[in-house]
Amino acid sequence: MEWFETWTVWHWLILGFALLIAELALPGIFLLWWGLAAIAVAGLMKCFPDFSLASLGIIYAILATLLSLGWWKYQHKKDLSDEKRSHLNQRDHAMLGSVGFVQEIHDNGIGRGHFGDTTWRIQSAQHDKLCVGDSIQVLSVQGITLIVQKVNQ
C-alpha cells in the first residue's frame, strides 16, 4: 500500500474522472457525486498541499456523502411534487370534468356511467334523481366511484 501514501493531485483527478466516466456507463448510482467530490479534493490538495492523505480521505468521504444525500433530498422532494401534479396512470383523476351519460341507475343512487369507451361506477353529488340516458359530468373521485352531476341540456 506504499503507492497509496504517495497520492498526488493527479491521482485524485484520475479517480474523479474515472468515476464520472463510470456514471455514463452505470447511470443512477451516485458516481457523479463521488467523482465531483474527488475532483474537489484534488482542488483542495492543490491549494493546501500540506494536508495528509488521511485528512483528504476523510474530506472526500464527507463531501461525497453530503453531495449524494443533498442530491437525493432534492430529487426526492422534486419527485413528490411532480407526482402530485401528474395524472399518469391515474385514469380516474384524468376523468375530472368529463361528460358522459347514465347507463344504469339503482334506487340507492349508485349506478354505471358511460364515458368514452368504458363504464364507471357513478353516484350523484347532489342526491338528485338520475335517470338512464341523462348527461352527466364528473366532479370528483372517491375510490372507484365517480361523483357526478346532471348536465342541463
Side-chain angles (χ1 to χ4, degrees):
M1 289 277 223
E2 219 175 275
W3 65 272
F4 192 64
E5 294 174 7
T6 60
W7 266 40
T8 65
V9 172
W10 290 108
H11 291 97
W12 285 107
L13 286 174
I14 290 169
L15 174 65
F17 284 111
L19 288 169
L20 291 177
I21 291 169
E23 175 71 21
L24 294 174
L26 306 167
I29 59 171
F30 295 111
L31 293 179
L32 169 71
W33 307 112
W34 298 349
L36 291 177
I39 292 170
V41 168
L44 269 175
M45 191 174 189
K46 184 73 172 165
C47 294
F48 305 101
D50 294 336
F51 273 141
S52 69
L53 186 60
S55 299
L56 291 171
I58 291 170
I59 291 170
Y60 170 73
I62 291 171
L63 192 56
T65 302
L66 288 176
L67 288 172
S68 296
L69 289 175
W71 175 253
W72 178 84
K73 186 174 180 178
Y74 165 78
Q75 189 62 44
H76 184 68
K77 184 177 175 183
K78 185 176 179 294
D79 288 345
L80 288 177
S81 70
D82 287 349
E83 190 175 292
K84 288 179 186 174
R85 290 181 278 140
S86 174
H87 294 299
L88 183 64
N89 294 331
Q90 296 179 15
R91 187 170 180 202
D92 53 354
H93 294 291
M95 294 293 293
L96 296 177
S98 295
V99 176
F101 64 89
V102 177
Q103 187 173 11
E104 65 182 65
I105 194 75
H106 303 286
D107 292 335
N108 61 3
I110 296 175
R112 305 261 339 140
H114 192 270
F115 299 89
D117 62 349
T118 190
T119 62
W120 290 80
R121 184 174 194 250
I122 60 167
Q123 182 175 5
S124 175
Q126 301 155 347
H127 302 294
D128 54 344
K129 188 76 172 152
L130 294 175
C131 299
V132 173
D134 284 346
S135 288
I136 51 176
Q137 182 175 24
V138 178
L139 297 178
S140 65
V141 179
Q142 291 180 353
I144 61 168
T145 304
L146 301 178
I147 308 303
V148 298
Q149 73 177 5
K150 189 186 276 189
V151 177
N152 296 331
Q153 292 184 345

